[in-house]
Amino acid sequence: MKIGILTSGGDCPGLNAVIRGVVLKGTTNYNIEFVGIRDGWRGVVDGDFFPLTRHEVKGLSKVGGTILGTSRTNPYEGPRGGAENIAKTLYGHRIDGIIAIGGEGTLAAADRLSNDGINVLGVPKTIDNDLRATDYSFGFDTAVNIATDAMDRLRTTGDSHQRCMVAEVMGRHVGWIALHAGIAAGAHVICIPEVPMSIDEVCELVNKAHSRGRAPLVVVSEGFKLTGMEEAFSDKGLDAFNRPRLGGIGEVLAPEIERRTGIETRATVLGHIQRGGSPSAFDRVLATRLGLHAADAVVDGAWGQMVALRGTDIVRVPFAEALGELNTVPQYRFEEAAALFG
Amino acid sequence: MKIGILTSGGDCPGLNAVIRGVVLKGTTNYNIEFVGIRDGWRGVVDGDFFPLTRHEVKGLSKVGGTILGTSRTNPYEGPRGGAENIAKTLYGHRIDGIIAIGGEGTLAAADRLSNDGINVLGVPKTIDNDLRATDYSFGFDTAVNIATDAMDRLRTTGDSHQRCMVAEVMGRHVGWIALHAGIAAGAHVICIPEVPMSIDEVCELVNKAHSRGRAPLVVVSEGFKLTGMEEAFSDKGLDAFNRPRLGGIGEVLAPEIERRTGIETRATVLGHIQRGGSPSAFDRVLATRLGLHAADAVVDGAWGQMVALRGTDIVRVPFAEALGELNTVPQYRFEEAAALFG
Amino acid sequence: MKIGILTSGGDCPGLNAVIRGVVLKGTTNYNIEFVGIRDGWRGVVDGDFFPLTRHEVKGLSKVGGTILGTSRTNPYEGPRGGAENIAKTLYGHRIDGIIAIGGEGTLAAADRLSNDGINVLGVPKTIDNDLRATDYSFGFDTAVNIATDAMDRLRTTGDSHQRCMVAEVMGRHVGWIALHAGIAAGAHVICIPEVPMSIDEVCELVNKAHSRGRAPLVVVSEGFKLTGMEEAFSDKGLDAFNRPRLGGIGEVLAPEIERRTGIETRATVLGHIQRGGSPSAFDRVLATRLGLHAADAVVDGAWGQMVALRGTDIVRVPFAEALGELNTVPQYRFEEAAALFG
Amino acid sequence: MKIGILTSGGDCPGLNAVIRGVVLKGTTNYNIEFVGIRDGWRGVVDGDFFPLTRHEVKGLSKVGGTILGTSRTNPYEGPRGGAENIAKTLYGHRIDGIIAIGGEGTLAAADRLSNDGINVLGVPKTIDNDLRATDYSFGFDTAVNIATDAMDRLRTTGDSHQRCMVAEVMGRHVGWIALHAGIAAGAHVICIPEVPMSIDEVCELVNKAHSRGRAPLVVVSEGFKLTGMEEAFSDKGLDAFNRPRLGGIGEVLAPEIERRTGIETRATVLGHIQRGGSPSAFDRVLATRLGLHAADAVVDGAWGQMVALRGTDIVRVPFAEALGELNTVPQYRFEEAAALFG
């Protein structure tokens, strides 16, 4: 059997650990031959493959990024795209199936290709933890650790200067990173996309922490929807999420908090450092196990499914289960954390 | 309502985060009054209490160890021990119940006290992850991160000198730390208490890695049972686990691997650094959530139970469910990892 | 003898270690009584003092920020400012002298106060390493470690996506953080205030790295002067350093690199995380030693001087030596690093 | 010109950064051809060389260990050893000179070979910082950071259990790692080879810290000479340093402290984790600069010398200056730190 592996979408700590897990289990236990597919679906469409042996995946569990490269190409677009062309390309290279490691877009494409007769197996990848059907996805724990460490640092500056510190973290549609890093770092305000808040509510929490003698620490997901600022933003142009088009939400929030509360306030946008570098042990274990089980699933012919974490077990779920609705932060999880705000 | 909190047994990253979670939720939402109990059950027996307010738990989510102190005192021993005396002591201080954060011994004592009429609620604590009834316990993730980081370091020395490196990690009865750190760091041999191996088997795996050009990396739980060495050890005196009484198992294993394989081999015993210091973000979140839910459970009068993690939820389980049998590494989890040994 | 200690200006990892070093040495060896001065010169002017004993500085060597608080107050301003008023305030509290831990502004004020008859001793503090007269200042090593770690992370994202990654680091007037973090992380372009470069030169280096198959990594000091962009910026408003007023230089550079080279480019502004949190071991040792020697200097009556690092020794230098000219990156140090750009 | 590079003796974080610095500068600026020499002097003697291009050193500044391998071979031993044979071997491969990265033994051999007419240039390498003629050597800062981090962790366990924690760190002949990590972590006792102490003196300091309510933290170099224990050790066999032959000094010290003070005491031997893994930013910068300057020195024909750090400058010194006497901790540096013990 000959199997291609691809990584698609934004990079994420643990991608290489998945690849290593698949290849070690597949070659040693099942005698599968693997090829790496370059730059996600782009490599499928272009037939851009290279041999992937035990040697290539040596020492990869700790290495961030992806040795396969990645892109946001849609496999149904372009002159060589579409299920029929792809089937020909794979047949031409005698590739029996594809393991696609990616997020919602990738898995949706994988689902469609699967329905169109291509053998595809999925491994869920989302640093935001926004996929249903898996309790956690690799990369998320690393991102939360990085954000927590950064906020621990911001806190000492806040305390020294009696400032309010605002940290903007990843999370365009879901607030898991902000929620977990906020709990871990002891934030006084956690602003997530699932729970729109007005600038008044934010400032009230800031003032509450300040009145207890604390330097307020605010964590905000990039996709947080701030309400009550429409007028103020009207001259700057608003984007689809009702946010000003210039700068991130953290950079909008900070001066407004300062203006309204009188507390000196500074914003830091963590940005790309949250998704790079060596994965945490949790993510290495999760990613490796997903890879090992993906090799099993290939041998079982479990095409059209993806491997996922449930409790402490790795299970298989149909693509459809993972798609459609995002894994948002439920209201009770936000309220649970809100008890910490005081 | 007035509630005492104690931490008992070996320290563990996250203890302070639990305490903070309990106190923040309990004081803010439920108006509970808390007292800290010094040094575990010792403080209960001696009536050694002090007020524990919001102020005392400030900034604690990131602080290792326990501000309450800890001991291995058994509450049923000594002249002031036993349920009857303890009931009097608690009544004398108007303490309505105890939140006991501890491992198997602590929870067994809590169960017995609960059966004897004392209001006790449990929070599971085990750095080895050896308690059933909770998917993971706080401190474990931190320990695995520390062990993984140490093994990442050992690997570069192994590679530079073409040596076999042996890392001994915690785990007297269960091998979870060795298993997870071994997977994360890419160990070539994982030796855990649940799976006794002969020195021949260990050396075979070492030779296998070496023959592929790798510097063999071996991780061994302190409670690993090495077989086939009885004769060699007979002059050194054996302990109950069939191990020589001098030094840890890592220090026994390393020279024997070197003698049999001819590969220069060095052991490192990680020891206490695995249980100290600032908790990982995962452990801070888990510990904080357990604390928040413990405050809820107190209000609900859920005495005789403990809070626990199941999947992504915090649930309540009777003490009995957590006791009796250890949460050992199941055979299939070991075999899963063994695919990585090649 | 009774001595006041103050920290002034931006916070910096190691401030607390200096305070601890002064207090431990001064109380134990010399029987000095210490008072903490709140919020820098503000506390001197306002007479805002509190007792600072051995107990208060317990465990501080690893704690970021400053327990004394800090501000940017000028001691010569305000109705209670000026040498005469300050002398009265100090005399009123029987304070014999001040240890002022701060940067150029602080040391200049200290120098003037010293000339006006106030006993002041200085400890140099600059996270940018911009003070002459000390080989290194505490905080700098920590900042370089944080920036290096961040750039290590950015690199994996760059490699996975074949992107150019731009990291903006601290350094308004001098480029030491960019230089050292750039060398440490293997940057392909290092842009510092001391060496203005045109956008063409930057893009040439980016292209050079790209043509060797590398994902270009660019580090840029916040005070870097980009030339050849005047026209493009003219509609955005320029600040004193010829930079657009909106966003940092990193956010200006990235889109321009992308536009000119065609290589997808992303900027990350590290911001405040570089100056917070626990100091590196190097900074803890340096800060502690400066504190210990400051206590000695007080006993020797070495007012009007500051303690400083020369090679491996702590020495005393007059304020004047540290002032006037900044410790800029010399041309030969930049050229030395430029050999790495290829 | 064709130059060979070797690494010799124990591995050390920064070796790869030196190699990268040499190769980048040498190939780009001077058009030198490099070969890697496998396993130190062993590879010189055996003629075990391989091409070392820009490509091979890609990304190496952050990678621990040495890609060249290392050994403790003496180039004057064995049938193919000695200056005459080596001259022939080098001539046979048209190698014009050797850059030897190593410690005292390596540099002594390099000096002798140099005197015997072989072109050798040295780069000092000692994780213990025991070489004169360089202010600091790379690897030392990383080791101190690792030891400090470990001691930060041990402290929380000590505090929670009111235990004395003993950390044994590297330093067979000099105590720099213990001194710096001890200062950084706030140790209450620092035991170094340069300052023999009796068990009574150690226990007095332990008791002093304990009486102030602190959990005593003791750091001890592996080469520390404990006096006053001769009798107790007489039945165990003593080594040349008057220490028992079984276990490290930390494991000897801990039970004796516990026996004499009555304070529960635990030892941790940090061992090999101190010398592996990714170098700190300081070490990357230092190692890279040494490499860059070594390339310059080769071009200048500065054979018989080594590059070294003085203050902030890289200078050249004759081998002889670095040899003979070790860079021990001077008495005044120990006394400086002793002020912290209280």
Side-chain angles (χ1 to χ4, degrees):
Chain A
M1 193 159 22
K2 192 169 168 186
I3 299 293
I5 309 178
L6 68 83
T7 53
S8 176
D11 74 319
C12 192
L15 286 169
N16 281 325
V18 176
I19 298 165
R20 173 177 171 268
V22 171
V23 171
L24 289 188
K25 182 81 181 264
T27 52
T28 309
N29 291 40
Y30 303 126
N31 211 23
I32 300 174
E33 186 187 342
F34 289 101
V35 295
I37 302 173
R38 284 201 184 85
D39 303 337
W41 296 112
R42 206 271 307 148
V44 174
V45 169
D46 292 352
D48 194 352
F49 309 129
F50 64 99
L52 200 54
T53 68
R54 199 177 173 102
H55 181 76
E56 267 83 36
V57 300
K58 193 178 69 161
L60 279 195
S61 69
K62 62 167 288 189
V63 180
T66 165
I67 59 162
L68 302 178
T70 182
S71 72
R72 298 191 188 275
T73 302
N74 181 333
Y76 277 91
E77 285 177 4
R80 281 176 299 183
E84 212 167 320
N85 286 330
I86 287 174
K88 276 183 210 155
T89 306
L90 294 178
Y91 183 77
H93 288 82
R94 301 293 180 271
I95 293 174
D96 301 293
I98 292 172
I99 296 176
I101 314 171
E104 236 222 334
T106 302
L107 298 177
D111 188 30
R112 189 171 162 198
L113 284 169
S114 185
N115 291 332
D116 286 351
I118 310 283
N119 289 340
V120 193
L121 185 93
V123 179
K125 181 230 63 167
T126 151
I127 202 155
D128 290 345
N129 203 37
D130 64 4
L131 282 173
R132 288 187 311 158
T134 190
D135 280 3
Y136 291 107
S137 45
F138 60 88
F140 171 67
D141 183 66
T142 304
V144 173
N145 272 312
I146 295 169
T148 300
D149 180 63
M151 288 167 68
D152 283 352
R153 295 191 178 279
L154 295 180
R155 178 186 288 285
T156 65
T157 293
D159 284 342
S160 300
H161 290 267
Q162 295 155 354
R163 272 185 200 152
C164 172
M165 302 301 280
V166 176
E168 181 184 318
V169 300
M170 287 189 300
R172 204 167 290 277
H173 305 294
V174 304
W176 289 108
I177 293 177
L179 181 77
H180 278 225
I183 294 174
H188 303 99
V189 193
I190 298 177
C191 302
I192 60 175
E194 294 88 341
V195 185
M197 291 170 74
S198 71
I199 184 68
D200 286 335
E201 290 171 289
V202 172
C203 289
E204 197 191 319
L205 288 168
V206 165
N207 277 324
K208 213 165 163 185
H210 193 250
S211 70
R212 287 199 313 273
R214 309 300 306 274
L217 184 61
V218 180
V219 60
V220 54
S221 306
E222 52 183 334
F224 170 63
K225 289 163 198 72
L226 183 65
T227 63
M229 294 276 294
E230 291 76 3
E231 210 169 321
F233 292 170
S234 62
D235 58 331
K236 301 187 189 166
L238 298 179
D239 70 7
F241 299 107
N242 203 22
R243 294 173 304 170
R245 288 220 181 78
L246 292 169
I249 180 70
E251 286 166 350
V252 169
L253 209 46
E256 197 61 25
I257 290 173
E258 179 165 321
R259 198 176 67 80
R260 292 182 181 228
T261 64
I263 304 164
E264 197 184 19
T265 304
R266 293 283 182 279
T268 299
V269 180
L270 296 186
H272 285 88
I273 60 165
Q274 295 166 89
R275 66 184 323 134
S278 192
S280 69
F282 182 97
D283 282 338
R284 297 192 204 177
V285 172
L286 172 55
T288 303
R289 292 184 72 202
L290 290 172
L292 295 171
H293 283 260
D296 294 343
V298 159
V299 170
D300 291 350
W303 308 113
Q305 302 188 55
M306 63 174 228
V307 287
L309 179 72
R310 291 276 170 85
T312 61
D313 290 323
I314 307 296
V315 299
R316 296 175 193 168
V317 292
F319 281 133
E321 252 186 67
L323 302 173
E325 228 177 289
L326 286 180
N327 175 35
T328 51
V329 175
Q331 183 68 17
Y332 78 90
R333 284 297 308 276
F334 179 76
E335 278 162 15
E336 181 191 278
L340 300 167
F341 303 165
Chain B
M1 190 157 30
K2 191 170 169 186
I3 299 293
I5 309 178
L6 67 82
T7 52
S8 176
D11 73 319
C12 192
L15 286 168
N16 281 326
V18 177
I19 297 164
R20 174 177 171 270
V22 171
V23 171
L24 291 188
K25 182 79 181 265
T27 53
T28 309
N29 292 41
Y30 304 126
N31 211 21
I32 300 174
E33 184 187 344
F34 290 100
V35 295
I37 303 174
R38 283 201 185 86
D39 304 337
W41 296 113
R42 207 270 306 149
V44 175
V45 168
D46 292 351
D48 194 352
F49 309 131
F50 65 99
L52 200 54
T53 68
R54 200 179 172 100
H55 181 76
E56 268 82 39
V57 302
K58 191 179 72 162
L60 279 195
S61 70
K62 62 166 288 191
V63 180
T66 165
I67 59 162
L68 302 178
T70 181
S71 73
R72 298 191 188 276
T73 302
N74 181 332
Y76 277 91
E77 285 175 6
R80 282 178 296 184
E84 215 167 316
N85 287 329
I86 287 174
K88 278 183 209 153
T89 306
L90 294 178
Y91 183 76
H93 288 81
R94 301 296 179 268
I95 294 175
D96 301 293
I98 292 172
I99 296 176
I101 314 171
E104 237 224 332
T106 303
L107 298 177
D111 189 28
R112 191 171 160 196
L113 285 168
S114 184
N115 291 332
D116 287 351
I118 309 285
N119 288 342
V120 193
L121 185 93
V123 179
K125 181 230 63 168
T126 150
I127 202 157
D128 291 346
N129 203 36
D130 63 5
L131 283 173
R132 291 187 308 158
T134 189
D135 279 4
Y136 291 107
S137 45
F138 60 85
F140 171 67
D141 184 64
T142 304
V144 172
N145 272 312
I146 295 170
T148 300
D149 180 63
M151 288 167 68
D152 282 350
R153 294 192 178 279
L154 294 180
R155 178 186 289 282
T156 64
T157 294
D159 284 341
S160 300
H161 290 268
Q162 294 154 358
R163 272 184 198 153
C164 173
M165 304 301 281
V166 176
E168 182 184 316
V169 300
M170 287 190 300
R172 205 169 290 276
H173 304 296
V174 305
W176 288 109
I177 293 176
L179 181 76
H180 278 224
I183 293 173
H188 303 100
V189 194
I190 298 177
C191 301
I192 60 175
E194 292 88 341
V195 185
M197 290 171 75
S198 71
I199 183 69
D200 286 337
E201 289 172 289
V202 172
C203 289
E204 198 190 317
L205 288 168
V206 166
N207 278 322
K208 214 164 159 184
H210 192 249
S211 70
R212 288 200 313 273
R214 311 299 305 273
L217 184 61
V218 180
V219 60
V220 54
S221 305
E222 52 182 337
F224 170 63
K225 290 163 198 74
L226 183 65
T227 64
M229 294 278 295
E230 291 79 2
E231 210 169 322
F233 291 168
S234 62
D235 58 331
K236 301 186 189 164
L238 298 180
D239 71 7
F241 298 107
N242 203 24
R243 294 174 304 169
R245 288 219 181 78
L246 294 168
I249 181 69
E251 286 166 349
V252 168
L253 209 47
E256 198 61 26
I257 291 173
E258 178 164 322
R259 198 175 68 76
R260 291 179 181 230
T261 64
I263 303 164
E264 198 183 19
T265 304
R266 294 283 182 278
T268 299
V269 180
L270 296 185
H272 285 88
I273 59 166
Q274 294 166 88
R275 68 182 324 132
S278 192
S280 69
F282 182 98
D283 282 339
R284 297 191 203 179
V285 172
L286 173 54
T288 303
R289 293 184 72 201
L290 289 172
L292 295 170
H293 282 260
D296 294 341
V298 159
V299 171
D300 291 349
W303 308 113
Q305 302 189 54
M306 61 176 230
V307 288
L309 178 71
R310 291 276 171 83
T312 60
D313 289 323
I314 307 295
V315 299
R316 296 175 194 169
V317 292
F319 282 134
E321 249 186 67
L323 302 173
E325 227 178 291
L326 287 179
N327 176 34
T328 51
V329 175
Q331 184 67 19
Y332 78 90
R333 286 295 309 273
F334 180 75
E335 278 163 15
E336 180 190 280
L340 300 167
F341 303 165
Chain C
M1 190 155 29
K2 192 169 168 186
I3 299 294
I5 309 179
L6 68 82
T7 52
S8 177
D11 73 320
C12 191
L15 286 168
N16 281 325
V18 176
I19 298 164
R20 173 177 170 268
V22 172
V23 172
L24 290 187
K25 182 80 181 263
T27 53
T28 309
N29 290 41
Y30 304 127
N31 212 22
I32 301 173
E33 186 187 342
F34 289 100
V35 296
I37 302 173
R38 286 203 182 83
D39 304 336
W41 296 112
R42 205 272 305 150
V44 175
V45 168
D46 292 351
D48 193 352
F49 308 130
F50 64 99
L52 200 54
T53 68
R54 197 177 174 100
H55 180 77
E56 267 81 38
V57 301
K58 191 178 71 159
L60 279 194
S61 69
K62 61 166 288 189
V63 180
T66 165
I67 59 163
L68 302 177
T70 182
S71 72
R72 300 193 187 274
T73 302
N74 181 332
Y76 276 91
E77 285 178 4
R80 284 177 296 185
E84 212 167 318
N85 287 329
I86 287 174
K88 276 183 209 155
T89 306
L90 294 178
Y91 183 75
H93 288 82
R94 300 292 181 272
I95 293 175
D96 301 294
I98 292 173
I99 297 176
I101 315 171
E104 237 224 332
T106 303
L107 298 176
D111 189 29
R112 189 171 161 199
L113 285 169
S114 184
N115 291 332
D116 286 350
I118 310 283
N119 289 341
V120 193
L121 185 92
V123 179
K125 181 230 63 164
T126 150
I127 202 155
D128 291 345
N129 204 36
D130 63 5
L131 282 172
R132 289 188 310 158
T134 189
D135 279 3
Y136 291 107
S137 46
F138 61 88
F140 170 68
D141 183 65
T142 305
V144 173
N145 271 310
I146 295 170
T148 300
D149 180 61
M151 288 167 68
D152 283 351
R153 294 191 178 281
L154 294 180
R155 177 186 288 284
T156 66
T157 294
D159 285 341
S160 300
H161 290 266
Q162 295 154 357
R163 272 184 200 151
C164 172
M165 303 301 282
V166 175
E168 182 184 318
V169 300
M170 287 189 300
R172 204 168 292 276
H173 305 295
V174 304
W176 289 108
I177 293 176
L179 182 76
H180 278 223
I183 293 174
H188 303 100
V189 192
I190 298 177
C191 302
I192 60 175
E194 293 88 340
V195 185
M197 290 170 75
S198 71
I199 184 68
D200 286 336
E201 290 171 289
V202 172
C203 289
E204 196 190 320
L205 288 168
V206 166
N207 277 324
K208 211 164 162 186
H210 193 249
S211 70
R212 287 200 314 272
R214 310 300 306 274
L217 184 61
V218 180
V219 60
V220 54
S221 306
E222 52 183 335
F224 170 63
K225 290 163 198 72
L226 183 65
T227 64
M229 294 277 294
E230 291 77 3
E231 208 169 322
F233 291 167
S234 61
D235 58 333
K236 301 185 187 164
L238 297 179
D239 69 8
F241 298 108
N242 202 23
R243 294 173 303 168
R245 287 216 182 81
L246 292 168
I249 180 69
E251 287 166 347
V252 169
L253 208 46
E256 198 60 26
I257 290 173
E258 179 166 321
R259 197 176 68 80
R260 292 181 182 230
T261 65
I263 304 165
E264 197 184 17
T265 304
R266 293 283 181 278
T268 299
V269 180
L270 296 185
H272 285 88
I273 60 166
Q274 295 166 89
R275 67 184 323 134
S278 192
S280 70
F282 182 97
D283 282 338
R284 297 192 202 178
V285 172
L286 172 55
T288 302
R289 293 184 71 200
L290 289 172
L292 295 170
H293 283 260
D296 295 342
V298 160
V299 170
D300 292 350
W303 308 114
Q305 302 189 54
M306 62 174 227
V307 288
L309 178 72
R310 291 275 170 85
T312 61
D313 290 323
I314 307 296
V315 299
R316 296 175 194 168
V317 293
F319 282 133
E321 249 184 68
L323 302 173
E325 226 176 291
L326 287 180
N327 175 34
T328 51
V329 175
Q331 184 67 18
Y332 77 91
R333 284 298 306 276
F334 180 76
E335 279 163 15
E336 179 190 281
L340 300 167
F341 303 166
Chain D
M1 190 155 30
K2 191 170 169 187
I3 299 292
I5 310 178
L6 67 84
T7 53
S8 176
D11 73 318
C12 192
L15 286 168
N16 281 326
V18 177
I19 298 165
R20 173 176 172 270
V22 171
V23 171
L24 290 188
K25 182 80 181 263
T27 52
T28 308
N29 291 41
Y30 303 127
N31 211 20
I32 300 174
E33 183 187 344
F34 290 101
V35 295
I37 303 174
R38 286 202 182 83
D39 304 336
W41 297 112
R42 206 269 307 149
V44 175
V45 169
D46 292 351
D48 193 352
F49 309 130
F50 65 99
L52 201 53
T53 68
R54 199 175 173 103
H55 180 77
E56 266 83 38
V57 302
K58 189 179 72 160
L60 279 194
S61 71
K62 62 166 288 191
V63 180
T66 165
I67 59 162
L68 302 178
T70 181
S71 73
R72 299 191 188 276
T73 301
N74 180 332
Y76 277 91
E77 284 176 5
R80 283 178 296 186
E84 212 167 318
N85 287 329
I86 287 173
K88 276 183 209 155
T89 305
L90 294 178
Y91 183 76
H93 287 82
R94 299 295 179 270
I95 294 174
D96 301 293
I98 292 173
I99 297 176
I101 314 170
E104 236 223 334
T106 302
L107 298 177
D111 189 29
R112 190 171 161 198
L113 284 169
S114 185
N115 291 333
D116 287 351
I118 310 283
N119 289 341
V120 194
L121 184 92
V123 179
K125 181 229 61 166
T126 151
I127 202 155
D128 291 345
N129 203 36
D130 63 5
L131 282 173
R132 290 189 308 160
T134 190
D135 279 3
Y136 291 107
S137 45
F138 60 87
F140 170 68
D141 182 65
T142 304
V144 172
N145 271 312
I146 295 170
T148 300
D149 180 63
M151 288 167 68
D152 283 350
R153 294 191 177 280
L154 294 180
R155 178 186 289 282
T156 65
T157 294
D159 284 342
S160 300
H161 290 267
Q162 294 154 357
R163 273 185 199 151
C164 173
M165 303 301 282
V166 175
E168 181 183 317
V169 300
M170 287 190 299
R172 203 168 291 275
H173 305 296
V174 305
W176 288 108
I177 293 176
L179 182 76
H180 278 224
I183 293 172
H188 303 100
V189 194
I190 297 177
C191 302
I192 60 174
E194 294 87 343
V195 184
M197 290 171 75
S198 71
I199 184 70
D200 286 337
E201 290 171 289
V202 172
C203 289
E204 198 190 318
L205 289 168
V206 166
N207 278 323
K208 213 165 163 185
H210 192 248
S211 70
R212 287 200 314 272
R214 310 298 308 273
L217 184 60
V218 180
V219 60
V220 53
S221 305
E222 51 183 336
F224 171 62
K225 291 164 198 72
L226 182 65
T227 63
M229 293 278 294
E230 292 76 3
E231 210 169 321
F233 292 168
S234 62
D235 58 332
K236 301 186 189 166
L238 298 179
D239 70 8
F241 297 107
N242 204 24
R243 294 173 306 167
R245 289 217 180 79
L246 293 169
I249 181 69
E251 287 165 348
V252 169
L253 209 48
E256 198 61 25
I257 291 173
E258 179 164 322
R259 197 175 69 78
R260 292 179 182 231
T261 63
I263 303 164
E264 199 183 17
T265 304
R266 293 283 182 278
T268 299
V269 180
L270 295 185
H272 285 88
I273 60 166
Q274 294 165 90
R275 68 184 321 135
S278 192
S280 69
F282 182 98
D283 282 339
R284 296 192 204 178
V285 172
L286 173 54
T288 302
R289 293 184 71 201
L290 289 171
L292 295 171
H293 283 260
D296 294 342
V298 159
V299 170
D300 292 349
W303 308 114
Q305 301 189 56
M306 63 175 227
V307 287
L309 178 71
R310 291 274 171 83
T312 61
D313 289 323
I314 308 295
V315 300
R316 296 175 194 169
V317 292
F319 282 133
E321 250 186 68
L323 302 174
E325 226 178 293
L326 287 180
N327 175 34
T328 52
V329 175
Q331 184 68 18
Y332 78 90
R333 285 296 308 273
F334 179 76
E335 278 161 17
E336 179 191 279
L340 300 167
F341 303 165

